[in-house]
Amino acid sequence: MPESKLHVLLLRYTPDPEEIVAKAARLCYSPASIDELKQQIESQNQANFIEKLTDMRHLSPIEHVTFTFGVEGISRACSHQMVRHRLASYSQQSQRYVGQQSKKRGGFHFIVPPSIEKIGKKQWFIEKMSILQKWYDELVETLGNSGESTFEDARFLLPNATETKIIITMNARELLHFFRMRCCNRAQWEIRNVATEMLRQAKQVSPHIFKDAGPGCVNDKCPEGKMTCGKMDEVRERFKNLL
């Protein structure tokens, strides 16, 4: 029963994302034809224009750019939070269809929360996962080990710690919102780690769109009010230098 570790990979993104955003934005204000805009914009550096757009909060042109991430080594507890961001597309590993392969993989994989490791209870936690695995295997046999119908019910014994894999596609505007919500210190630790790594990789291919991305306090006062973590300077420094 292996412990799983987080892995995030940017699989695909709109080619020349900042050029596409610039074309869409300039079209709103220019009488030029599409061909003229294409020639003008391809020959220009878009950094200042993209920064102006984000400062003005004119973000609809950013929706033309999408990013697709593969994420593995996260718990079902984390994925349940991610899919609450509805302006996105998700494809998630099915416990129903891959359940029968779990024995070949040494049992179901799982995530160990850092707080449990910190208090010296990691081995205790792993032992409890082993008990759940035995119960799961017992239920599979009891149900007849007959394929999908067996595993769709046996999975009811699996914990929120069970590892899952998911592919996520979001447009850049929704990503900015996702980062604002989930990179915050008050977000749950696991989804915060996922969001921060997604942002780091997105910044590498589109540094100007995501220049000021991160939790709400990066470029403004903390939106959490009395619930603030009180570490705004530390958070700002971290996200300004995320690359």
Side-chain angles (χ1 to χ4, degrees):
M1 292 179 61
E3 175 189 356
S4 295
K5 299 295 185 182
L6 175 65
H7 178 55
V8 177
L9 183 63
L10 178 57
L11 298 172
R12 292 286 187 277
Y13 58 91
T14 303
D16 301 315
E18 296 184 352
E19 185 179 301
I20 292 295
V21 170
K23 288 173 181 175
R26 288 188 185 277
L27 179 67
C28 298
Y29 305 109
S30 173
S33 68
I34 298 294
D35 287 335
E36 290 170 338
L37 281 174
K38 183 175 185 295
Q39 292 174 0
Q40 293 170 10
I41 290 171
E42 285 178 346
S43 64
Q44 295 178 10
N45 183 314
Q46 301 306 319
N48 292 335
F49 185 64
I50 297 293
E51 185 172 344
K52 182 179 179 181
L53 274 181
T54 54
D55 286 345
M56 294 169 57
R57 309 303 295 168
H58 182 190
L59 299 181
S60 59
I62 297 175
E63 295 174 16
H64 292 288
V65 173
T66 62
F67 294 78
T68 299
F69 296 89
V71 180
E72 61 185 357
I74 61 170
S75 68
R76 299 287 291 198
C78 181
S79 68
H80 290 336
Q81 296 175 77
M82 298 191 74
V83 299
R84 292 173 188 160
H85 294 267
R86 295 188 294 273
L87 298 181
S89 297
Y90 302 97
S91 295
Q92 186 169 4
Q93 187 180 66
S94 168
Q95 289 180 328
R96 179 186 183 193
Y97 288 103
V98 303
Q100 56 193 322
Q101 302 169 25
S102 65
K103 280 194 174 182
K104 299 177 183 177
R105 300 168 61 232
F108 71 83
H109 292 202
F110 58 87
I111 311 302
V112 179
S115 61
I116 291 175
E117 189 164 1
K118 186 177 180 180
I119 63 173
K121 300 290 282 185
K122 179 176 179 179
Q123 190 55 42
W124 173 89
F125 186 85
I126 292 173
E127 290 169 2
K128 297 302 179 279
M129 294 297 104
S130 297
I131 292 171
L132 288 174
Q133 180 69 60
K134 291 177 183 177
W135 290 349
Y136 176 82
D137 294 341
E138 181 182 341
L139 183 55
V140 167
E141 294 303 319
T142 301
L143 291 170
N145 200 1
S146 57
E148 294 168 22
S149 61
T150 291
F151 295 106
E152 71 181 5
D153 288 342
R155 63 184 169 176
F156 277 68
L157 273 174
L158 295 177
N160 270 342
T162 306
E163 187 242 7
T164 191
K165 300 174 177 64
I166 192 166
I167 288 179
I168 306 160
T169 300
M170 290 187 186
N171 70 54
R173 186 177 189 176
E174 180 62 13
L175 273 175
L176 289 173
H177 170 71
F178 176 73
F179 296 146
R180 182 178 175 86
M181 298 293 104
R182 301 302 187 172
C183 289
C184 175
N185 275 352
R186 283 188 37 75
Q188 185 256 358
W189 64 268
E190 192 177 13
I191 197 169
R192 183 172 68 244
N193 290 345
V194 173
T196 301
E197 180 58 20
M198 287 170 63
L199 173 54
R200 188 186 67 79
Q201 295 187 32
K203 264 191 167 184
Q204 291 179 348
V205 299
S206 189
H208 301 111
I209 289 176
F210 297 106
K211 181 175 76 72
D212 295 325
C217 65
V218 168
N219 293 290
D220 204 345
K221 66 180 181 179
C222 175
E224 296 295 323
K226 293 181 179 180
M227 303 298 289
T228 180
C229 70
K231 300 178 180 179
M232 191 162 61
D233 291 341
E234 177 185 322
V235 171
R236 285 177 174 175
E237 182 68 19
R238 181 185 180 197
F239 281 94
K240 291 294 186 182
N241 299 286
L242 190 58
L243 288 177

